[in-house]
Structure formats: C-alpha cells, structure tokens
Amino acid sequence: MEYETPLFFHVMAYAADADRDVVDMVSGNPDWEPPEALREGLRAYADFDADRFQYPPSHGLRELREEIAARRGVDEERVVVTNGGGEANYLAMARALERDAGDEVVLTDPVYPYYPGKTTMLGGRPRYVSAGTDGQLDPDDVRSVASEDTAAIVVNTPNNPTGAVYPESTVRELVAIAEAHDAICVVDEVYDHYDLSGTFTSALSVDSDRRIVTNAFSKTFAITGFRVGYAIFPPHLVEDAKSRHMLVNVAGSRPAQYAVLQALRNTDPAYHEANRELLRERVATFTDALDRAGADYTRPDGAFYVLARFEDYPGTLENTERLIDEAGVAGMPGSAFGETCEPWLRFALVTPRLEEAAERLAAYFA
C-alpha cells in the first residue's frame, strides 16, 4: 500500500538544514505561552506518589473525561482521550470505515493532508469536493457525490489551510447528508478557540448518532508536544473505538492529561481572547506585507494560516525550497493541500518573527 505522506516534516527539515537564517512558518506550533495553570499542574505532578507514574485508564483520566464531557454537554462514557488530535481523527475514520457501510471518504479540496493519508492507510478511497480557496463548503456539492459507498464525510472548522469557519447551516446539512447515506460525519474542531469571526458552531449542537467530533488541546493551550486530544463518539461506536485506542496506544500520558485538566479548571477565558487578539494583529501585519509584495491572499476567519499567491510563483515544493534558500522564509507548498491550492503557498502565523518574515517576502517579491 502506498501512503500519502504529508510534507510538513520534510519542509521543516529542509529549513533547519539551510545555510542561512530562516523564519519558520511551516507548521502550526503556537509560539505563545501555555496557561500558567498547566505549568503548575506539571510541577505538582512531579511530587506525586509513585503509583501516579503508572498506567492511567486506557481511554483517559476519569476527571479529565468528566471535565470534557461537562464542557461539551455529552455523557462521559462517550469521550475517548487520545494521543493528540491525530489519533482522534484516526479512531473516528477507522470506526466509519469498519462498519461495512462503504469505503469512500468524502474530503474537501483544499484538504489537511493527514486526512487523505489516514484514508488510504485505513483502506478507504478519498473522494474530493472543491471548497475553493475561501474554504467555504457548499453542502449541495457534498450531497452530489455522497452515495451508498460513502463511509465518512471528514471536515475541519475552523479550517486548515483556508481559515474558513463553517456557518451553522453548513454543519447541520453535512450531518444530515451523513444520516441520509448511513455515513459518519467526522468534524475536526481543533481550532475552535481560534475563531476570529465569532460565528463558529460546534457539530455537537446537532443531535445525531451519525457524527463524531474530534478536538485536542495542542492549539488550545499551545502544547502541541503534549499530545492530548479527544474524540466524542455516538454510543454505538464508542466501545470499539476504545478497544482500538488500547491496542494502538495502551494509554496516553498521565502527567500531560493531569496538566491539561488543571489548565481547563483554572484558566481564565481572557487567556484565549488575548491569543485571538494576537492573531488578529498578525493577520493584519502579514497581509499588509503581502499587499506590498503584490500578492493575492486569503484573510482567515479562524485558525492561524494565510494562503498567498505570488505572480509566476506556483506553490510547488521546489518553489518552497527556493523561498527558503533565497528569501529565508519557510512556508508550506500549496500543492500539499490539493489541486485548488497548487498556485498558493501557506504560511503559519505562529512565530514572534512574523514581521521580519513579512518584510523578507515583501522585499523578495517586490
């Protein structure tokens, strides 16, 4: 089997090995501080008795699952704490595909590259629906390709790479399409705390046994290295998901889960608003520089990415490497996100050197 291997780590390695200084705008690793309560939780954990250094419950610390369940308005038994959002999506897609209800997975174009990679790894067949570079998905387009072969519809809002935030009507219609075709609508909401538009609607607002919501604390608390995520399953799908999680991982990190629990319980909402305001400022700074460079670009409603298109400079891997070597700025090739993004480059606004990167791009393309 040939897997579709995402290019993120290749580009990051190329930038790290460059013979010049490079501003890294490749991956979504937040550069801001995690909540103080999370650090305090880690410090406290170091002094616990030795029994707290052993296996936690396989599907997550009970207190953490209860906290997630209370916040999301679901039963605690439906929550599986995972090894980051990546495993949450893997479990969700696996449950959709192993029901013998089709082998097709409907994905958007542009697409987060890990979704097609997981699809082929799990023996599914990707089927793409164009969302355009603005990322707004028309449910009628999804309805037109859905069939008895559709096992899952996988979407991401707020969206990577486009920054689109789906309106409530779109979320409801996507779930309805899944219901009509005995499919599962998998909604990845990992950027829910980075809705810059104020219009984000969780798929959990739709009462259905045909949707799975995935999320993680990687972006929420700026802790991508902690690998604490979760998935919320319908009751009839959750037990096998727990078994697969146990077989793949045994369990997640106990200290990381405890620290996340302390952050959930003790972090003021002002922490998240400050990070959103920082992102709004960075979007303005970066797009101003793109204006000076004569580029076309997207202005995100959520998440922290900007797509940019420069004249006669398509978003190929070759041009991405050239930009690293000649301008000292590392982004992602748009081609990594699908056919729609082939003319574009994607930049992650998660570096304190963003203004410097913007000036380098403006000078390079001026």
Side-chain angles (χ1 to χ4, degrees), residues 14-329:
Y14 188 91
D17 292 340
D19 292 331
R20 60 164 298 161
D21 173 68
V22 177
V23 180
D24 183 355
M25 302 183 72
V26 177
S27 195
N29 296 315
D31 62 291
W32 44 87
E33 280 290 305
E36 182 56 32
L38 186 132
R39 291 185 181 274
E40 291 173 355
L42 283 179
R43 295 187 191 103
Y45 206 93
D47 294 327
F48 286 160
D49 292 339
D51 65 338
R52 301 283 284 276
F53 285 68
Q54 311 311 317
Y55 295 122
S58 177
H59 55 295
L61 293 178
R62 176 176 290 277
E63 296 90 340
L64 178 56
R65 287 186 280 114
E66 289 174 342
E67 186 73 23
I68 294 168
R71 288 167 175 266
R72 306 312 303 268
V74 299
D75 185 82
E76 171 260 328
E77 283 301 316
R78 294 173 56 192
V79 178
V80 180
V81 177
T82 60
N83 183 27
E87 194 213 348
N89 290 320
Y90 163 76
L91 291 179
M93 294 170 70
R95 289 301 292 120
L97 283 161
E98 66 193 6
R99 297 172 306 124
D100 294 326
D103 65 352
E104 229 174 51
V105 176
V106 176
L107 303 171
T108 62
D109 178 10
V111 66
Y112 177 55
Y114 283 79
Y115 302 152
K118 286 181 172 68
T119 298
T120 55
M121 181 176 68
L122 289 164
R125 294 183 295 122
R127 179 87 181 263
Y128 294 97
V129 175
S130 176
T133 50
D134 69 354
Q136 285 298 338
L137 185 61
D138 186 341
D140 285 338
D141 292 338
V142 178
R143 190 175 287 108
S144 69
V145 303
S147 71
E148 63 181 11
D149 293 325
T150 303
I153 300 166
V154 180
V155 295
N156 169 218
T157 178
N159 185 263
N160 175 10
T162 66
V165 177
Y166 294 169
E168 181 179 357
S169 59
T170 295
V171 174
R172 290 190 175 278
E173 287 196 59
L174 292 174
V175 174
I177 295 166
E179 291 176 335
H181 293 279
D182 189 24
I184 302 297
C185 187
V186 179
V187 186
D188 181 351
E189 300 180 353
V190 70
Y191 295 100
D192 60 350
H193 281 76
Y194 298 98
D195 169 27
L196 307 181
S197 67
T199 62
F200 170 76
T201 299
S202 172
L204 290 171
S205 66
V206 184
D207 185 19
S208 174
D209 64 355
R210 288 292 183 271
R211 62 106 176 88
I212 301 171
V213 169
T214 65
N215 210 319
F217 301 101
S218 299
K219 319 295 184 180
T220 301
F221 292 139
I223 50 168
T224 59
F226 275 49
R227 313 313 302 139
V228 181
Y230 63 90
I232 298 174
F233 291 88
H236 70 288
L237 296 178
V238 70
E239 292 305 321
D240 283 348
K242 291 176 182 177
S243 295
R244 183 182 283 263
H245 167 73
M246 183 184 296
L247 290 168
V248 171
N249 289 281
V250 179
S253 165
R254 193 167 194 152
Q257 291 182 51
Y258 179 83
V260 164
L261 176 62
Q262 302 315 303
L264 282 172
R265 288 175 170 173
N266 300 296
T267 299
D268 192 279
Y271 169 81
H272 303 294
E273 182 51 43
N275 292 336
R276 286 190 289 270
E277 186 55 36
L278 173 65
L279 277 174
R280 292 185 185 99
E281 294 170 1
R282 288 184 174 181
V283 169
T285 297
F286 195 67
T287 55
D288 284 350
L290 293 177
D291 280 330
R292 295 196 298 275
D296 294 327
Y297 56 83
T298 60
R299 187 178 293 273
D301 288 328
F304 28 77
Y305 307 100
V306 166
L307 291 168
R309 182 174 61 187
F310 301 93
E311 188 175 359
D312 299 323
Y313 203 93
T316 62
L317 178 60
E318 180 183 13
N319 277 344
T320 301
E321 293 175 347
R322 178 179 161 197
L323 196 66
I324 291 170
D325 293 333
E326 298 180 4
V329 179

